Amino acid sequence: MSQQSLIISGVPWFDDHRRTVNAHGGCIVEKDGLYYLFGEYKTDEENRFAGFSCYSSPDLAHWTFRRIVLPQQKDGLMGPGRIGERVKVMRCPTTGQYVMFMHADDLGYCDPHICYAVCDTIDGDYEFRGPLTFKGEPIRRWDLGVFQDDDGTGYLLVHEGDIYRLSDDYLSAAEQVGEGIALGGEAPAAFKLGGRYWMLFSNKTSWDCNDNFCLSASSMRGPWTYQGLFAPEGSMTCNSQSLFVIPLRTERGMMPMYMGDRWSFPHQASAATYVWQQLSVNHGRLRLAEYQPSWSPISGKAEPFEGRHVDVGFRSDRAGESVSIPFHGSRVALTGRADQWGSYARVGIRRAEAGEESAMVVDPIFVSWYAKLPDSGYRYVSPELPEDDYVLTVTVTGEVPQWTDKSGQRFGSVGSMVDVDEAIVAQ
Ligand code: GLA
């Protein structure tokens, strides 16, 4: 079996059931040596709320599905035909309860509310409680983040840069401590580093990515100073949108880890991926300086996916065209170019001797070749399998993934191209 524990950004990850890790727009909470990843449990068909999921991992590389911690509710703000996004969880030190925050909305994003749910255990069934209030009024906002300070004070962050201090039990907003610090900003994420507070924001481009920016302050109450971009200009934040930051212990010491979403509308359950990268502060500037397609969360160093390189050279935009790659091994990666002409293929793996769909060992999933900034790198990395003879098949879907936001602006790809350069086979 392949022994590598790697964080590989921008490819679907698989859980202990060989299903995609489906937890987007969420957060990580650490408890007793495990990382708990919470997120939106997307579908490949539609944008409606299908639940918030929880996975756990000892190393950020191997993920166990725990459960749907908040399913669709019978009715109300998180009932049928609603949106549920940006789930965030914190343990309240005063009550010991886990409190979950979320964005609830209608399908047109015209009825936003910040809502909350509670649970006595980290990965139990959360009880939905309704809108979070400030001065008795629901907070009618959408993108949110949370931050827990060293003294246990909890904060709610919302788009455009409003900041609320939460009540001692975290069940309401007690005080507004920041207002409009990031006009035009979405996807807020806050963390503390080197005695300073940092906040990341994206710009507003729906499910597409853009150059995200940051601010810093010596207190959560501000004043906040605009610090510009933290990733290289034009890199579209490594083709991702800011989400959350956790401090990570590696052999090189503590380092903040940027967590970003690479959304993939409309096939988010399969093809939305994770972009997790190391951050550092140099001369008072926050930097995501060098993109690491693949790195070890243990050593903190870049490490490529190891294996035998096999030329594939497949390039097609015609629906139904496919390439089959036979291999002997325990894991396989595909590389290729993703760009603005890119689209989806279905990628699955079956045992070599069986030709039937029923013999699939890894069910076909949608994999995306769309990228706003062209990227030639990993497009697919299979789960670990018992060493054997397999056939991986890539089939072009021919779709041109495009969508419009609520203002009518058009986003997405202009083609249906799929490009496989190499397969890398691990023994
Ligand atoms: C932005 C938000 C996401 C989601 C999409 C919908 O990217 O940050 O949470 O609401 O828009 O278009």
Side-chain angles (χ1 to χ4, degrees):
M1 295 279 274
S2 152
Q3 293 301 315
Q4 287 186 290
S5 287
L6 297 175
I7 292 179
I8 306 178
S9 290
V11 296
W13 295 349
F14 291 92
D15 69 6
D16 54 326
H17 300 288
R18 293 184 196 156
R19 292 193 294 251
T20 51
V21 174
N22 189 353
H24 306 280
C27 66
I28 280 181
V29 180
E30 274 188 77
K31 182 177 186 286
D32 301 333
L34 284 182
Y35 297 98
Y36 290 84
L37 174 68
F38 294 86
E40 301 161 21
Y41 194 73
K42 296 296 208 186
T43 76
D44 277 338
E45 293 80 37
E46 54 178 10
N47 200 32
R48 150 191 80 75
F49 175 62
F52 292 136
S53 54
C54 179
Y55 295 78
S56 67
S57 172
D59 61 2
L60 298 176
H62 297 89
W63 293 98
T64 301
F65 177 70
R66 307 295 290 220
R67 66 166 70 222
I68 298 298
V69 282
L70 189 82
Q72 185 195 84
Q73 305 293 291
K74 274 205 293 295
D75 48 33
L77 291 174
M78 294 292 276
R82 298 280 299 178
I83 294 287
E85 291 180 351
R86 298 214 165 259
V87 53
K88 299 285 176 287
V89 174
M90 290 192 291
R91 181 180 175 276
C92 175
T94 318
T95 62
Q97 247 182 351
Y98 290 88
V99 186
M100 171 187 280
F101 302 88
M102 69 204 79
H103 163 205
D105 219 322
D106 66 17
L107 291 173
Y109 291 92
C110 293
D111 184 34
H113 286 79
I114 307 282
C115 293
Y116 74 103
V118 296
C119 190
D120 290 336
T121 55
I122 190 165
D123 62 348
D125 293 318
Y126 280 70
E127 182 196 331
F128 183 69
R129 289 278 182 85
L132 189 80
T133 58
F134 177 54
K135 295 184 174 163
E137 295 294 322
I139 303 176
R140 304 289 309 266
R141 307 302 294 276
W142 57 92
D143 276 14
L144 72 135
V146 295
F147 173 69
Q148 186 174 61
D149 210 343
D150 299 334
D151 65 0
T153 306
Y155 293 91
L156 172 76
L157 329 163
V158 297
H159 61 95
E160 319 285 338
D162 286 2
I163 308 173
Y164 296 90
R165 179 175 61 77
L166 295 171
S167 56
D168 286 349
D169 61 9
Y170 284 11
L171 305 183
S172 61
E175 182 190 4
Q176 186 166 2
V177 299
E179 196 182 344
I181 68 160
L183 295 179
E186 276 190 332
F191 61 102
K192 198 173 178 181
L193 182 70
R196 281 188 79 75
Y197 296 84
W198 295 87
M199 267 178 84
L200 313 182
F201 289 90
S202 73
N203 300 290
K204 290 184 186 163
T205 50
S206 183
W207 302 113
D208 246 343
C209 47
N210 52 60
D211 280 338
N212 295 183
F213 58 94
C214 64
L215 299 96
S216 79
S218 57
S219 154
M220 280 301 282
R221 293 171 177 275
W224 290 88
T225 312
Y226 178 72
Q227 299 276 6
L229 310 183
F230 54 93
E233 186 170 359
S235 73
M236 304 291 139
T237 328
C238 314
N239 283 318
S240 74
Q241 182 184 27
S242 57
L243 163 65
F244 202 69
V245 175
I246 59 162
L248 185 66
R249 272 177 306 279
T250 73
E251 288 167 1
R252 292 168 67 195
M254 283 297 264
M255 54 183 67
M257 184 180 81
Y258 164 85
M259 295 168 57
D261 286 301
R262 187 174 295 173
W263 299 109
S264 188
F265 193 82
H267 300 312
Q268 310 257 33
S270 291
T273 60
Y274 309 89
V275 175
W276 292 3
Q277 296 288 319
Q278 295 166 35
L279 291 167
S280 60
V281 172
N282 270 328
H283 305 295
R285 299 297 301 268
L286 184 72
R287 303 299 297 155
L288 191 167
E290 208 187 328
Y291 176 68
Q292 305 289 9
S294 159
W295 57 283
S296 156
I298 299 158
S299 69
K301 291 187 187 149
E303 209 182 287
F305 181 90
E306 280 165 10
R308 194 165 48 85
H309 289 238
V310 181
D311 261 345
V312 179
F314 173 80
R315 195 170 158 77
S316 168
D317 59 1
R318 293 183 46 198
E321 266 196 1
S322 69
V323 60
S324 287
I325 305 163
F327 69 95
H328 177 92
S330 62
R331 208 177 179 196
V332 62
L334 299 178
T335 63
R337 179 185 159 99
D339 57 28
Q340 297 198 30
W341 292 269
S343 178
Y344 292 105
R346 301 281 288 171
V347 179
I349 300 176
R350 62 176 167 82
R351 265 187 223 295
E353 73 273 14
E356 301 300 314
E357 187 82 355
S358 60
M360 297 307 289
V361 287
V362 184
D363 283 336
I365 60 163
F366 289 100
V367 175
S368 173
W369 267 262
Y370 168 67
K372 202 149 176 201
L373 180 79
D375 169 62
S376 292
Y378 302 112
R379 302 270 76 89
Y380 175 88
V381 178
S382 78
E384 290 172 21
L385 304 168
E387 187 178 332
D388 208 338
D389 292 311
Y390 300 102
V391 179
L392 175 144
T393 303
V394 177
T395 308
V396 178
T397 71
E399 299 157 81
V400 180
Q402 288 187 348
W403 68 96
T404 47
D405 70 2
K406 63 184 172 195
S407 73
Q409 201 186 331
R410 187 173 284 281
F411 296 94
S413 175
V414 291
S416 57
M417 191 60 80
V418 167
D419 175 291
V420 185
D421 179 21
E422 284 190 325
I424 308 171
V425 179
Q427 235 26 63

